[in-house]
Amino acid sequence: MAISPTEVRPEPASFRDPANRVFHVGDEVLRGLDTRAAEHWRALTGSRFFPALVAAGKVCATEDAPSTLVPATTGAPWAAVLRHERIPFVSHPYEWSFSMLRDAALLHVEILRAALGEGFTTKDGSAYNLQWHGTEPVFIDIGSFEPVRDGEAWAGYRQFCQTMLYPLMLTAHLGVDFQPWLRARVDGIEADELRPLFGGARRLRPGVLTHLHLHGAMQQRNAAASTSDVRDQLRAAGFSRELLLATVRGIEKLVRKLDHRPAGTHWSDYQRTCGYSARDRVAKEQFVAASVAAGARPRLVLDLGANDGRYSRLAAGHADYVVAVEQDPAVVDELYRKLRSEGQRRILPLVLDLADPSPGGGWRGVERAGFAERASADVVLALAVVHHLAIGRNVPLPEVIDWLAGLTAPAGAVVVEFVHPDDPMASRLLANKPAGLFPDYRRDTFETLLAARGRITERLELPSGTRTLYRTVMGG
């Protein structure tokens, strides 16, 4: 049965390349190709490198879409339609830790190097071309592959620098977190923005002179030149595919050198200092595991304030996929490194400030969907989070409950911990606030608000007597 155009939902992040467009039909992810892009796809499937990358999980699984899924689109009359595997949770580069961005960059250049060896290149170099299966990056922009032409530089080089190399250099060389910089501009960090930070002796740090200062100077020199003029100049200078491949190898070597191991922070040692007794910890773990396992197997679990991933790992034993959210980039990076060493493909760690989550961004504010729009979780874990939002960040309790409810799928469950005002951690936060500022921060008020948004199915007071856990089916 043919698909009606009314069932087709264009992907808001896919519109910049007129040769192809991603859209959704139900749970299916499809990509329409124009005539030239369809020719490139046929050549790509006949290559050796591309099927090998797909088999290794480094490029998203892709096939020709069955005829029943080829919709009568209202846009261009596509010459071919492909079907992609669905990524469990779409994230953005400004939600990744340093090691995540570096591993994604390394995969990008590995794929480019493999493509060049068989006469292909990628016309894009954006970090947004990659997503994740847990801690394994995967390249998703199949429409980016095209035959390489002699005498041409890598068309995606500038994008790669702005969205991957420059952010990595900012953190590795200066110790500055790149996430706010990438979140501020969807196209990444411009060379002109970064160059003033790398004057003097800093110019000699790995990659700075070649990829920042010289690259910026070349951009300025060729600002008025057309693409064909630059191509002719490169050919006249003897630029060849071999030189391009050597350049890519040099970029890969540089990215491997870049590293960042920040000093310990308050949150990196939180599990040791948070004040749980051994009995509290055992009771909490049992409650969380039972709450996630209750009912149908969750497709997606959000662990808000995941810290070292203790409860994300518990949830992963009962769910298809877990997104572990933590504010501190250093904590997320450490968690990512550990999960990657374990070969974990069902837990995705992300950097996110719960009081300032990723908004919609890019063109018309929808090109990159906000965190709430991407969530729709079957289970939301909010453990030792509410007091940090309500007291530490002055978010009213009704707002906190409404936000948690908004992150769940229909009939989704929230597993939430309420830290009583007399708990040592809550008392510490309250001591730094004006007296009487939070009269409604009470257990009875919290329970009333929670019950108004859903049905409390389980309740457990931890042995310490100052913390209570709840499992609530929202809207139930």
Side-chain angles (χ1 to χ4, degrees), residues 331-448:
V331 174
V332 175
D333 203 61
E334 181 65 23
L335 175 59
Y336 168 77
R337 290 174 188 254
K338 289 180 179 178
L339 292 173
R340 188 161 171 81
S341 70
E342 299 166 7
Q344 178 59 256
R345 289 175 57 89
R346 290 194 293 116
I347 300 177
L348 172 65
L350 294 179
V351 179
L352 193 83
D353 181 352
L354 298 180
D356 184 21
S358 304
W363 175 243
R364 301 178 72 178
V366 298
E367 183 180 358
R368 306 299 171 192
F371 180 72
E373 287 71 40
R374 289 173 278 142
S376 192
D378 299 302
V379 177
V380 174
L381 302 181
L383 308 171
V385 162
V386 170
H387 61 300
H388 288 294
L389 292 173
I391 303 174
R393 305 296 288 272
N394 288 44
V395 180
L397 276 180
E399 291 283 341
V400 175
I401 300 300
D402 286 348
W403 177 65
L404 292 175
L407 297 178
T408 63
V414 171
V415 182
V416 60
E417 178 177 9
F418 184 75
V419 177
H420 305 181
D422 56 342
D423 182 89
M425 294 299 292
S427 297
R428 190 180 308 169
L429 291 173
L430 288 167
N432 294 318
K433 300 288 184 175
L437 186 60
F438 303 100
D440 295 328
Y441 185 81
R442 304 192 313 270
R443 175 179 169 178
D444 59 338
T445 301
F446 181 77
E447 287 192 3
T448 299

Side-chain angles (χ1 to χ4, degrees), residues 166-300:
Y166 292 167
L168 290 171
M169 289 167 56
L170 180 69
T171 301
H173 294 328
L174 302 182
V176 176
D177 291 330
F178 66 79
Q179 290 84 2
W181 292 62
L182 283 186
R183 173 171 156 171
R185 296 186 62 173
V186 71
D187 292 327
I189 306 172
E190 297 276 358
D192 288 345
E193 294 176 299
L194 207 58
R195 196 180 300 115
L197 302 180
F198 284 94
R202 289 177 175 174
R203 295 168 63 94
L204 303 179
R205 296 185 181 182
V208 172
L209 189 61
T210 300
H211 298 286
L212 182 59
H213 289 286
L214 293 181
H215 179 213
M218 289 183 63
Q219 282 183 318
Q220 291 178 351
R221 188 183 69 185
N222 295 319
S226 66
T227 302
S228 59
D229 289 338
V230 174
R231 188 184 306 138
D232 291 342
Q233 292 173 19
L234 288 171
R235 286 201 186 101
F239 190 83
S240 64
R241 194 182 306 178
E242 289 72 25
L243 285 175
L244 176 56
L245 192 55
T247 300
V248 172
R249 290 196 185 102
I251 294 173
E252 183 176 26
K253 184 177 180 181
L254 168 62
V255 172
R256 289 191 185 279
K257 282 184 179 179
L258 298 175
D259 199 6
H260 178 63
R261 296 295 182 102
T265 66
H266 166 74
W267 297 110
S268 63
D269 202 28
Y270 183 74
Q271 286 293 348
R272 187 181 64 81
T273 62
C274 63
Y276 286 107
S277 68
R279 293 176 62 207
D280 279 357
R281 195 179 302 279
V282 170
K284 183 174 178 178
E285 290 179 356
Q286 291 175 345
F287 184 90
V288 170
S291 295
V292 175
R297 182 179 177 86
R299 175 189 57 85
L300 175 65

